[in-house]
């Protein structure tokens, strides 16, 4: 019931960006009655592994980011600190939703979830992580730099692999 | 996708301990001037180069062996052998703790603790990893 409403929201969002995307069938009912159709599973192992390890790494990353944010208290005026706080909290929330969308989209081979995952990673998470990384580099906070570098490495792998996975899944469902 | 049995615990733990060891080594290498300052001030200049080299070389060797083991783990070659994973978890968590304690407690650089940490906590999993690699290559060739 909850998954269905998540999928409805994602379909309306993806349809706005790619008109006609919601015409793609979301289940495999088009193969009923055609017994000679054979299709490969298009879930990507590399994507699933990177998302699983990202999920395992998430509590560590969260603790480091929050501790480094609290440690930056003396370095900024109140307005810059507030903006950085908004960025950090948006980053934390987006990371959790992104990992969930990626895992469920990859396992159930849904175009809407995978495309939302790809766009959220590219357009929301990547700029936020870049900004926090630049701030950490300018303050030479090594712990945060290394933690964010590992997170961006995982994100880079996910971006490259999920692009081809998304293309394969959309091709699979295009009948 | 749920990992069955003991692997649901072993694989995330091994990933996190490898990552922690890698993390602390990178942090220590990044800040090497800061960490060596106390040591270098205490000893005369002729020993300073020796301690600097000892620090950098032992950390770099540990980092290379951890990176090699990480590659073996992520490529799946040694991901599913329980004994090697257990050894790796124990060694790398001990190493991560020891390096962190040596940083916080500011251990004296005249004792060669970095070599002991390299041999017992990075060298041992590395040899075990190489053994798993060799058995994997043998299995692939026999088929």
């Amino acid at each position: 019931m909850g998954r269905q409403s998540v999928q409805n929201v994602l379909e309306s969002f993806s349809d706005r960006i790619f008109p006609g995307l919601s015409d793609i069938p979301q289940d495999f009912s088009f193969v009923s009655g055609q017994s000679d159709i054979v299709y490969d599973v298009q879930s990507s192992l590399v994507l699933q592994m990177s998302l699983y390890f990202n999920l395992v790494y998430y509590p560590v990353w969260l603790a480091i980011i929050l501790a480094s944010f609290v440690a930056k208290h003396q370095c900024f005026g109140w307005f810059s600190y507030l903006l950085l706080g908004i960025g950090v909290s948006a980053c934390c929330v987006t990371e959790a939703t992104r990992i969930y969308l990626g895992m469920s989209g990859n396992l159930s081979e849904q175009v809407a979830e995978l495309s939302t995952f790809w766009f959220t990673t590219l357009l929301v998470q990547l700029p936020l992580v870049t900004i926090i990384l630049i701030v950490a580099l300018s303050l030479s906070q090594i712990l945060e730099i290394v933690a964010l570098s590992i997170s961006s490495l995982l994100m880079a792998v996910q971006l490259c692999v999920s692009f081809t996975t998304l293309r394969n899944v959309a091709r699979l469902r295009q009948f | 996708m749920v990992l069955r049995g003991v692997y649901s615990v072993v694989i995330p733990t091994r990933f996190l301990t490898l990552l922690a060891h890698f993390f602390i080594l990178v942090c220590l290498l990044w800040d090497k001037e800061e960490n060596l300052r106390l040591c270098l001030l205490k000893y005369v200049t002729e020993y300073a180069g020796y301690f600097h080299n000892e620090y950098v070389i032992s950390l770099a060797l540990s980092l290379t062996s951890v990176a090699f083991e990480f590659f073996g783990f992520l490529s799946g070659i040694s991901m599913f052998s329980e004994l090697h994973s257990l050894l790796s978890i124990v060694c790398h968590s001990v190493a991560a703790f020891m390096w962190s304690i040596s940083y916080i407690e500011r251990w004296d650089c005249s004792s060669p603790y970095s070599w002991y940490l390299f041999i017992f906590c990075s060298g041992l999993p590395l040899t075990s990893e190489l053994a798993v690699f060799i058995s994997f290559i043998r299995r692939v060739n026999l088929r």
Side-chain angles (χ1 to χ4, degrees), chain A residues 48-49 52-53 57 142-143, chain B residues 1 3 12 19 23 31 74:
Chain A
Q48 191 65 31
M49 272 175 69
Y52 180 72
F53 288 130
Y57 177 59
I142 303 150
L143 204 64
Chain B
M1 184 212 83
L3 292 167
L19 201 66
F23 217 94
D31 240 358
L74 288 177

Side-chain angles (χ1 to χ4, degrees), chain B residues 8-24:
Chain B
S8 65
V9 174
V10 157
I11 288 178
T13 316
R14 190 165 167 211
F15 176 74
L16 284 177
T17 47
L18 272 171
L19 201 66
H21 194 185
F22 187 78
F23 217 94
I24 191 81

Side-chain angles (χ1 to χ4, degrees), chain A residues 51-94:
Chain A
L51 281 168
Y52 180 72
F53 288 130
N54 207 351
L55 177 68
V56 169
Y57 177 59
Y58 179 65
V60 176
W61 176 86
L62 196 66
I64 292 177
I65 295 285
L66 292 179
S68 308
F69 174 67
V70 168
K72 286 195 187 70
H73 190 250
Q74 313 295 335
C75 309
F76 295 108
W78 68 269
F79 188 61
S80 308
Y81 197 57
L82 179 69
L83 285 179
L84 193 66
I86 292 171
V88 164
S89 42
C91 205
C92 299
V93 170
T94 328

